[in-house]
Structure formats: structure tokens, C-alpha cells
Amino acid sequence: MNEGRKRKRTMDYWLLLTIMGLTIFGIVSIFSASMYNSGISGSPFSYFTKQLIFAIIGTILMITISNIDYRKTKQFAPLVMIGVIVMLVLVLFIGTNVNGAKRWIRIGSLGTIQPSEFTKIALILFLAYYIERKKELIRSFRYGILPVIGLALIVCGLIALEPNLSTATIIGALIVGMLIIGGMNLKYFIPVVIAGVGGIVFMIISTPWRLTRMLTFLDPWADIKGAGWQICQSLMALGSGGLLGRGFGQGKAKLLFMPEPQNDFIFAHIGEEMGLIFGIILIAVYLFLIWRCVIIALNAPDSFSMLFCGGMAGLLGLQVFINIGVATALIPVTGMPLPFVSAGASSLISLMCGMGVVLNISKHCNI
């Protein structure tokens, strides 16, 4: 009996070590990817220092949340959801405009936050809370699914206005996935997916720059000095890395050739400096991380914890696929950070907060 209780109080340290390993690797990779660009305008340690600070803040929050019983955390799900919706509205009015997009709110000298990144975690938390409470009605379209669709339209609509179609698409996919896990009648699956895909297609064909990006994806080499520049530079960086890479700090693409090497295209930078073999190892580490979340979900003590861990596994899987898919030209270019590795406070801190809940849930599982 005592041994069983002790096991339940122990978090999944494999999960924790994997998260910290990816975060530390990300800090080092960001330094290598950004030192040239940062050195031109100031200190080569600029991105490195910021990411280190974000990692410390995120780790403190993750460990703190991991020590709060998830059954108490879930009670705040509605307030958290309302809070991020307010932030999504505010960013459209007071957000910082970067390249025609309003996705960030500046917090004085502390930098910026991106509400859409926190929305992903808030939505997983709220849906797990909602589906658990409405599990008897979730098979009903009118009383169970329709309210979720209404929430999806509000959240995805606000994010699409930023504009940020990739995040809106991920959130839509997460909603459908969690509804299925929660017991949604599959006869509603096809109509919901068709409506979602139809909305995405409409947004693409009705926006010239999105349509150009889609056409460029089909043949990026046709406009290598224009719309195809990003993906062509990414592919050349990956190709020049070979099996073992050029060596840490020896990459050439970061010398103002490849845009955002510390963020959206960090996988291409890693492939160039560390090679194909290390790239495969990195993917394997992500698969292990996702697998641990799935194992915790399968052994979760209740439906909320199962849904939350399943949602986090889905989020990690989608973001890894999209980021690496963009870098390798498997999907059209779109902005999506590589979890725990890409530069950015909002992505790192929000993911660590979400994983804090998963770590707490793992204490209640016999794994």
C-alpha cells in the first residue's frame, strides 16, 4: 500500500528530462542560429540571453504547476479561456504590427507576448474540462457539439484576423481531435471537417499572398529570388549539411540567407550544422516525448486528465510536423515554432505551463 502511494506521488521524470533536454538544446541552437544576425545590430548573445531567461521563467512555472493538484487547476479553465479571448481581442487593437500582422502585445521593456500561443493550452484545458462535465451530452450535436463549434468560430476567427491561419488551423484540428477522444458521434465528423477545410480553402484563395504561397509550394525553384526564397534556402541548408553536418557554429545559411533561422526554420539550421543523422535523432526525441504524453493519457485516473494529456500530445505532434514539414518542403511555408527549441517567449512558456499539468497528472498514474 505504501509503495503504491509513493509511486503515485512520483512524476514522470523521463518526460521532465526530455522537456529540459530539448529546452537546453534549443537555447544552444538559438545562439548558433542568431549570433551573426544579432552581432550586426548589437550583441551576438541577444537571442541566447532572452531564451535563457524565458527558459528559467518557464521552468519555474512548470515545476510550480506540476506541484498543484490538476483537479484544482481544472477549476480555473473557464476563467483562463475567457482571459485568452480577451487577449485575442486586445491584440487586434493594441497589438504590435510586424510585417502587416498583429499577433503580439508589447509589455513595456519586458518584450512581447503572443496570445495565440497561450490560447492553444487554454483551449486544451477548457475542452478537457467541458467534455468531462458534458460527457452525457457530447454525442448530441445541439447540446454538446454546437457550443464547442461556437467557441471554435470565435477563437479561430479572432486568430485568423491577426492574420495567423496556421495557428487557427491547429486549434481547429485540436478541437475536432478532442471531441473524438471525448466520444463525439462520428457521423458528425465528416460534416465538421468539410466545413473546416472549406473555410481554410476560402481563406487561401481569397487572399492573394496566401494563394501565392500555395502556388510557390508547388514549385519553389520557379521563383527562387522571390516567393520561393525561404524554402529554397531551407532545402539548400539541409542538403549542404549532409549526414554529419558542417559542425556547430559553421552554418552558412544563417549569414542573412535563410530568414528566421532561430525560429520558423531552426530545423533547417540544425540539419545544416549537425546533419541528417542528428535531425533523425531529434525527431525520435519528439516521438518519445509525444509517446510519454500518450502513455500518461492512457493511464490517466479520469476523463479530464486523459483528454488534457491527449490534447497536449496532439498539439506537440502537429507543431513538430508543421515546423519540420515547412523546412523540408512537405507543406507550404507557414510560421510555426518547433516546440521547446525555436526562439520565442510565448511558445516556450505556454508549452511548459501545459506540460506542468501533464507532469502533475503523471503523479496520479501507475506508469
Side-chain angles (χ1 to χ4, degrees):
M1 186 70 176
N2 291 334
E3 289 180 3
R5 288 179 179 175
K6 184 181 289 186
R7 191 182 303 119
K8 290 184 179 181
R9 289 197 296 268
T10 302
M11 71 171 66
D12 186 341
Y13 286 107
W14 282 111
L15 183 64
L16 177 62
L17 288 172
T18 305
I19 295 167
M20 296 312 301
L22 284 169
T23 302
I24 293 169
F25 171 71
I27 294 169
V28 175
S29 298
I30 288 165
F31 170 67
S32 175
S34 65
M35 60 182 179
Y36 181 81
N37 193 24
S38 295
I40 293 175
S41 56
S43 169
F45 295 96
S46 176
Y47 277 99
F48 170 82
T49 304
K50 289 179 181 178
Q51 193 72 6
L52 179 60
I53 293 171
F54 301 153
I56 292 171
I57 294 171
T59 301
I60 292 171
L61 288 171
M62 181 174 66
I63 298 301
T64 301
I65 293 171
S66 73
N67 285 296
I68 300 173
D69 193 318
Y70 74 91
R71 288 165 292 196
K72 295 180 180 178
T73 303
K74 73 177 181 180
Q75 296 174 4
F76 296 95
L79 288 177
V80 173
M81 194 68 244
I82 292 171
V84 295
I85 290 175
V86 171
M87 290 173 65
L88 290 175
V89 173
L90 286 176
V91 78
L92 298 176
F93 294 96
I94 64 172
T96 300
N97 194 315
V98 178
N99 297 325
K102 282 189 174 182
R103 302 177 185 175
W104 302 269
I105 297 176
R106 181 161 293 280
I107 310 295
S109 59
L110 298 176
T112 60
I113 60 171
Q114 189 173 354
S116 59
E117 291 296 325
F118 291 94
T119 302
K120 299 171 187 175
I121 308 300
L123 193 68
I124 293 172
L125 181 68
F126 178 78
L127 283 178
Y129 166 85
Y130 173 84
I131 294 172
E132 182 184 53
R133 288 172 59 89
K134 302 288 184 179
K135 56 186 174 183
E136 299 300 326
L137 299 175
I138 204 65
R139 294 184 65 83
S140 164
F141 183 82
R142 181 177 180 181
Y143 298 105
I145 298 174
L146 194 58
V148 177
I149 292 176
L151 176 65
L153 289 173
I154 293 171
V155 173
C156 293
L158 289 170
I159 293 175
L161 288 173
E162 293 181 357
N164 192 349
L165 186 58
S166 58
T167 298
T169 301
I170 273 191
I171 286 176
L174 280 174
I175 290 172
V176 174
M178 290 187 70
L179 283 173
I180 291 173
I181 295 173
M184 178 181 74
N185 193 323
L186 292 181
K187 72 179 182 181
Y188 301 125
F189 173 74
I190 294 178
V192 169
V193 170
I194 289 175
V197 172
I200 294 170
V201 171
F202 173 78
M203 293 289 287
I204 292 173
I205 63 176
S206 63
T207 311
W209 62 268
R210 286 196 180 109
L211 185 59
T212 299
R213 184 175 287 183
M214 182 62 68
L215 295 174
T216 300
F217 161 69
L218 299 176
D219 186 10
W221 303 99
D223 189 14
I224 190 172
K225 293 185 178 180
W229 177 264
Q230 288 177 302
I231 188 58
C232 289
Q233 291 299 321
S234 177
L235 291 173
M236 286 189 283
L238 286 167
S240 66
L243 285 176
L244 301 176
R246 292 178 179 270
F248 181 76
Q250 303 302 309
K252 307 299 181 184
K254 65 187 177 187
L255 306 180
L256 303 184
F257 290 103
M258 186 169 60
E260 302 296 332
Q262 75 284 346
N263 196 347
D264 296 341
F265 286 92
I266 196 164
F267 185 78
H269 167 78
I270 292 168
E272 181 186 17
E273 293 199 344
M274 301 183 187
L276 174 64
I277 293 176
F278 192 89
I280 293 173
I281 293 173
L282 180 60
I283 293 172
V285 172
Y286 276 117
L287 290 175
F288 178 77
L289 177 68
I290 294 166
W291 175 70
R292 292 310 299 176
C293 290
V294 171
I295 290 296
I296 295 169
L298 293 175
N299 290 276
D302 53 47
S303 58
F304 168 84
S305 50
M306 180 269 290
L307 285 161
F308 186 87
C309 293
M312 288 300 299
L315 174 61
L316 291 169
L318 284 168
Q319 290 203 180
V320 170
F321 173 76
I322 292 175
N323 181 277
I324 296 178
V326 167
T328 54
L330 290 175
I331 59 176
V333 173
T334 187
M336 185 60 59
L338 191 61
F340 305 108
V341 173
S342 290
S346 297
S347 175
L348 181 61
I349 292 174
S350 63
L351 281 173
M352 283 188 147
C353 287
M355 295 311 293
V357 179
V358 176
L359 287 169
N360 182 265
I361 291 170
S362 73
K363 295 180 180 181
H364 301 267
C365 301
N366 291 318
I367 54 174

